[in-house]
Amino acid sequence: MFSRSVISARVLRRLFFPRHPVKISTSSQLSMSRVLQHVGPLHRCERRCLYVSAFLGRKTMMNMGHCQSMDENIDITVIDNGHMLEVTWNGGFQSRFHSIWLRHNCHCPACKQPTSGQGLIEVSTIEPSKVRVTNVHIEGDFVEIEWDEGTRIHQGRVPIDLLQRDHCYLADTRRQQSNERKMKYLEGREIPRHSYAEIMTSERHMHRWLSSVNDYGIALVTDCPYDENTVVQLAESIAPIQIGIYGKTYNIKSVVNPINIAYSSVPLGFHTDYIYIEAPLGVAFLHCLRFDHEVEGGESIYVDAFAVAEELRAKFPQHFDTLVRVPPTYSKVHVDRDYPVYMKYQYPTITLNHEQEIIGVRWGPYFEGPLQVAEEDVMPYYEAQHTFAKLLEESSTRLKYRLQPGECVTFNNRRLLHGREGFVLNGGMRYFKGCYVSSDEFQSKCQLLEIKHGEGKLAKRFGNCNYL
């Protein structure tokens, strides 16, 4: 039975040593010698257990609603009259799953299309309270389950992988995942810098660059070619450009009769770009093509809106609650332009998820229209807005930086508020080329590179109101 030890790397990581950070090989099967390399340093008794536990196929025993693998590393018990399964893992860690949750995550071909991974279950045909597990056993990498749905029996399977710590819904697991997604703050440190040439020629360097934006919300790309298409090439190394009302790309320079305040020389306070639409655009790119020495002022400013929102919650909870509850209206109404627009959107400054964690901060007093709320909310809103604005200016995360020609700043538009100081050209020029990439596609790329080149950690919250 132990003549040849080959085991699924994914199952090994999750079942035997769920708390060991393991980087998985691209191969789905690992020989025992390579398994030990992936698991890393283990106590000798753990090594012995690992050798003894490796089977060509997982065997199980069933006894009156109790399922136990013969290697004794996973134990499944049917409880609550079939409405729950209790799983005990190696080391004693337990997780419980509702029968209806398991039913909705069935991976048999009738419930999930093998080629696309998309579900095929018609939820209207399954009444949650009637679903019970009547039989369960382990077969290879799957828990084979028989459900009684009241009017019919369904036999299917759920991957053991799906039942691990990353997917179970115990409170401590949710807290652990939430902590892993928490943002980091620069707080006085310099903006991370990365080389354009290295990013464009190495996935590992791209991973480091995206990790900086993911962690801190901002990073500088240096030594960029002096070409107007450079910002497009850099952005499209992540994903297709996200197009807004100013086109695929836009030019930041002072012009006569500007259609945007950014296209002038006046000071521009902290704000979120595209705040007047349902989903403000994601990662912003600004490539400095010219910033002549004659130009006085014009430094870029940034501040971490999430850090300041947490500060507001701690110091002024009543103002925090107001900004969570009372929604201003943002407006972009401009009909006298080549592409006329009439856009209005109303939502609160701060958004919380079901765990009362901050998942969204939108700030843009320059784009606010008349406040359209209940009379008793008007004064509390403006007081809360004023307090938040003062905290932004005083924040330890506030940055000021004069971009140099050949540098491209990349920042999270849903998290880092930005602006600039006013400037006088004095015969010189200040010229940036900009564009955006979707928050969803950025996070996808970031997570994939972290899996491939990093430690497989969860991406930080982006700030796009995702509840995760």
Side-chain angles (χ1 to χ4, degrees):
M1 184 165 57
F2 302 98
S3 59
R4 185 149 188 259
S5 298
V6 178
I7 190 170
S8 164
R10 185 171 56 197
V11 173
L12 172 71
R13 179 185 67 170
R14 296 297 192 180
L15 292 187
F16 296 110
F17 306 104
R19 299 187 183 184
H20 278 278
V22 181
K23 185 176 179 181
I24 295 302
S25 166
T26 54
S27 169
S28 62
Q29 301 289 321
L30 294 176
S31 67
M32 187 54 57
S33 60
R34 294 186 63 202
V35 160
L36 291 174
Q37 293 174 4
H38 278 262
V39 172
L42 301 174
H43 190 274
R44 63 184 180 184
C45 67
E46 291 179 312
R47 282 178 175 263
R48 189 182 308 119
C49 174
L50 181 59
Y51 276 111
V52 172
S53 299
F55 287 88
L56 287 175
R58 186 180 302 278
K59 304 293 185 180
T60 62
M61 295 184 294
M62 278 291 301
N63 183 22
M64 297 180 64
H66 183 85
C67 172
Q68 185 179 47
S69 65
M70 292 175 63
D71 55 14
E72 298 185 347
N73 281 288
I74 176 173
D75 185 279
I76 301 179
T77 305
V78 179
I79 61 175
D80 192 21
N81 195 31
H83 292 290
M84 298 280 290
L85 285 189
E86 185 175 75
V87 183
T88 303
W89 308 98
N90 180 52
F93 173 75
Q94 287 186 328
S95 49
R96 301 202 309 171
F97 301 91
H98 292 77
S99 297
I100 185 62
W101 185 95
L102 295 164
R103 179 66 187 89
H104 276 268
N105 286 282
C106 179
H107 277 53
C108 79
C111 295
K112 187 174 287 289
Q113 191 177 59
T115 53
S116 69
Q118 294 177 325
L120 301 171
I121 295 175
E122 289 293 338
V123 296
S124 63
T125 66
I126 302 174
E127 191 170 335
S129 62
K130 293 184 177 179
V131 177
R132 297 170 51 249
V133 172
T134 54
N135 200 349
V136 59
H137 69 277
I138 300 170
E139 187 67 39
D141 292 352
F142 291 87
V143 179
E144 303 285 339
I145 303 176
E146 181 182 272
W147 289 274
D148 183 346
E149 299 178 1
T151 58
R152 62 184 178 184
I153 299 296
H154 179 78
Q155 293 182 334
R157 50 173 35 192
V158 176
I160 293 175
D161 216 27
L162 201 66
L163 306 183
Q164 299 307 314
R165 293 182 69 96
D166 287 351
H167 292 95
C168 75
Y169 37 85
L170 293 179
D172 63 336
T173 302
R174 299 199 311 274
R175 282 193 296 269
Q176 183 183 35
Q177 292 175 345
S178 177
N179 288 335
E180 196 169 326
R181 291 190 177 98
K182 281 186 178 178
M183 302 168 176
K184 299 178 181 179
Y185 306 135
L186 282 177
E187 295 184 311
R189 284 174 283 184
E190 292 187 357
I191 301 174
R193 305 171 73 88
H194 303 271
S195 162
Y196 176 87
E198 291 178 339
I199 289 170
M200 300 301 285
T201 56
S202 166
E203 268 197 354
R204 290 189 180 276
H205 282 95
M206 177 174 283
H207 169 241
R208 292 168 189 163
W209 165 47
L210 298 188
S211 293
S212 293
V213 180
N214 176 45
D215 286 346
Y216 302 110
I218 188 170
L220 281 172
V221 179
T222 62
D223 304 316
C224 297
Y226 292 90
D227 186 291
E228 291 198 346
N229 199 47
T230 294
V231 71
V232 173
Q233 294 172 343
L234 184 62
E236 289 184 341
S237 70
I238 301 174
I241 287 176
Q242 190 175 19
I243 299 176
I245 63 173
Y246 297 100
K248 182 176 180 180
T249 63
Y250 57 96
N251 300 321
I252 300 289
K253 55 185 175 181
S254 183
V255 299
V256 179
N257 300 321
I259 62 171
N260 187 305
I261 192 174
Y263 303 164
S264 65
S265 61
V266 301
L268 183 57
F270 292 123
H271 65 282
T272 304
D273 282 349
Y274 284 93
I275 197 170
Y276 40 78
I277 62 176
E278 177 189 7
L281 305 192
V283 176
F285 296 73
L286 282 175
H287 178 205
C288 179
L289 290 165
R290 282 186 64 179
F291 203 149
D292 298 341
H293 295 296
E294 295 90 343
V295 179
E296 296 180 39
E299 287 82 0
S300 300
I301 55 175
Y302 308 93
V303 67
D304 198 314
F306 277 69
V308 178
E310 289 291 4
E311 184 181 3
L312 182 72
R313 172 151 57 180
K315 293 181 178 179
F316 304 97
Q318 75 280 13
H319 291 327
F320 179 86
D321 291 342
T322 297
L323 294 186
V324 169
R325 184 177 55 83
V326 181
T329 300
Y330 299 98
S331 173
K332 179 63 177 178
V333 178
H334 197 166
V335 297
D336 188 19
R337 63 194 296 258
D338 292 339
Y339 175 52
V341 293
Y342 192 104
M343 297 177 173
K344 290 188 176 183
Y345 211 84
Q346 185 180 39
Y347 45 58
T349 302
I350 299 171
T351 303
L352 305 179
N353 68 5
H354 56 301
E355 303 282 2
Q356 299 302 298
E357 298 166 313
I358 299 173
I359 57 171
V361 181
R362 303 165 172 107
W363 181 257
Y366 301 98
F367 301 104
E368 282 193 32
L371 189 63
Q372 297 176 294
V373 297
E375 180 180 343
E376 59 270 21
D377 287 332
V378 172
M379 187 58 69
Y381 172 76
Y382 285 118
E383 289 177 343
Q385 183 195 49
H386 172 71
T387 301
F388 190 67
K390 289 182 66 176
L391 290 179
L392 290 173
E393 295 295 336
E394 300 165 358
S395 174
S396 61
T397 67
R398 190 182 191 275
L399 301 168
K400 182 170 75 171
Y401 186 78
R402 184 182 177 105
L403 275 174
Q404 299 300 310
E407 293 180 335
C408 181
V409 63
T410 53
F411 64 91
N412 179 342
N413 178 55
R414 304 296 296 272
R415 172 183 171 186
L416 264 286
L417 304 179
H418 66 289
R420 61 130 194 271
E421 297 188 343
F423 59 91
V424 180
L425 292 176
N426 293 323
M429 178 178 283
R430 180 185 186 271
Y431 176 27
F432 300 165
K433 192 86 172 178
C435 66
Y436 302 88
V437 164
S438 155
S439 61
D440 300 300
E441 299 211 61
F442 169 83
Q443 281 202 299
S444 172
K445 183 80 167 186
C446 190
Q447 191 69 75
L448 289 170
L449 290 179
E450 172 64 16
I451 292 169
K452 187 174 181 181
H453 298 294
E455 298 177 5
K457 294 180 180 178
L458 296 174
K460 304 300 181 186
R461 284 201 174 95
F462 192 87
N464 56 355
C465 297
N466 186 337
Y467 270 50
L468 287 174

